[in-house]
Amino acid sequence: YCFAIKALREDLPGSSLSNSTCITTDYPGLPAFNYMRSVTVSGENEITITDSVDVAAIVNGYILERSVNGGAFEAIDFRIAGAASVLVFVDADVEPATTSYQYRVVVLDGCGAASVVSNIGANIVLRVRAELSGLDILEWNGYEDWAGNVQFHTIQRSIETLPFSLIAILPPDPWYHADDVSNLTGTTGRFCYFVEALEAGNPSGINAVSRSNTACAVQEETVYIPNAFVIGGYNPVFKP
């Protein structure tokens, strides 16, 4: 920065300019990293976002931004810089069963300007439909965006109101599974599911897990009705 003083006469035109003096200042150190570790569904209307930050950097704070179904990012939360190396945000204004949300964290440097932007994290949206064949069809989107890779997906299922239990471990893709529940006839036909993506190979050595929303499907009763009979035959009764 360079400075000079200019003197102006109040009653007559004219001015006088001093010499200039310059100084060099140190710019506050920028973060070496700003990494979004996970975005996971933590409730029916709740998503938890976890971000790792560089506490050695001199910054003013952190802005959490959100994009809804691929729209423009908007600021939804702010944290003042402190000693915590991990920031946990909870977004309770969401509908994770039907909507895709993308998140990122923007660092405000020591001068209050936006500087380092994190990677993007997005929730997993699971959808389930019941087929008359006795299959529940599960489809979901892949997790976005880890420094490592998705190692595998797990599927947990609950029958009626019973606790969830593991029913399948699947490769990173495809994002599809058919659950055959045709033999589970002694139930009300209501089955609920959630999917978890598990990370592997993160350079930091800390692998993350992201959970989807819980989605349910109800199998309809299957009733077979005869459409013909033979009078005097082996079974002359016409009924379901």
Side-chain angles (χ1 to χ4, degrees):
Y1 299 93
C2 293
F3 304 88
I5 296 176
K6 186 177 183 179
L8 301 175
R9 294 188 60 170
E10 184 176 354
D11 53 342
L12 296 172
S15 64
S16 177
L17 186 67
S18 74
N19 63 301
S20 63
T21 298
C22 298
I23 61 172
T24 301
T25 62
D26 292 328
Y27 190 82
L30 293 176
F33 61 89
N34 174 25
Y35 176 64
M36 182 163 292
R37 289 168 55 173
S38 68
V39 171
T40 189
V41 177
S42 48
E44 184 177 353
N45 297 105
E46 184 179 281
I47 293 176
T48 298
I49 304 100
T50 305
D51 189 68
S52 293
V53 298
D54 182 7
V55 294
I58 301 174
V59 301
N60 280 348
Y62 308 91
I63 298 174
L64 176 66
E65 294 185 340
R66 183 183 69 186
S67 165
V68 180
N69 285 331
F73 278 94
E74 296 181 353
I76 62 169
D77 204 347
F78 174 76
R79 296 288 174 82
I80 297 175
S85 61
V86 176
L87 303 178
V88 178
F89 301 88
V90 176
D91 186 3
D93 183 23
V94 292
E95 296 180 350
T98 59
T99 307
S100 173
Y101 300 94
Q102 293 181 317
Y103 298 90
R104 67 186 185 188
V105 172
V106 180
V107 178
L108 298 182
D109 64 19
C111 298
S115 57
V116 180
V117 181
S118 75
N119 55 306
I120 291 174
N123 62 306
I124 300 174
V125 181
L126 171 65
R127 293 180 173 86
V128 182
R129 69 178 187 275
E131 300 285 350
L132 291 177
S133 60
L135 296 177
D136 283 344
I137 305 301
L138 287 70
E139 296 178 294
W140 63 94
N141 61 290
Y143 181 81
E144 180 189 7
D145 171 31
W146 279 322
N149 300 308
V150 175
Q151 184 180 21
F152 53 82
H153 291 102
T154 64
I155 296 180
Q156 304 263 352
R157 181 185 68 195
S158 170
I159 303 174
E160 297 175 333
T161 58
L162 295 176
F164 281 92
S165 60
L166 178 68
I167 63 168
I169 299 176
L170 305 174
D173 58 75
W175 307 322
Y176 170 93
H177 180 69
D179 184 28
D180 187 353
V181 295
S182 59
N183 292 328
L184 301 174
T185 55
T187 70
T188 60
R190 179 179 173 82
F191 302 92
C192 294
Y193 304 85
F194 67 83
V195 173
E196 286 186 325
L198 288 84
E199 182 189 18
N202 191 293
S204 69
I206 303 175
N207 294 313
V209 177
S210 177
R211 174 174 170 166
S212 75
N213 58 296
T214 298
C216 301
V218 178
Q219 287 283 335
E220 296 182 2
E221 296 285 349
T222 302
V223 179
Y224 297 94
I225 300 177
N227 57 10
F229 67 97
V230 178
I231 299 177
Y234 180 76
N235 183 9
V237 178
F238 184 86
K239 66 179 183 179

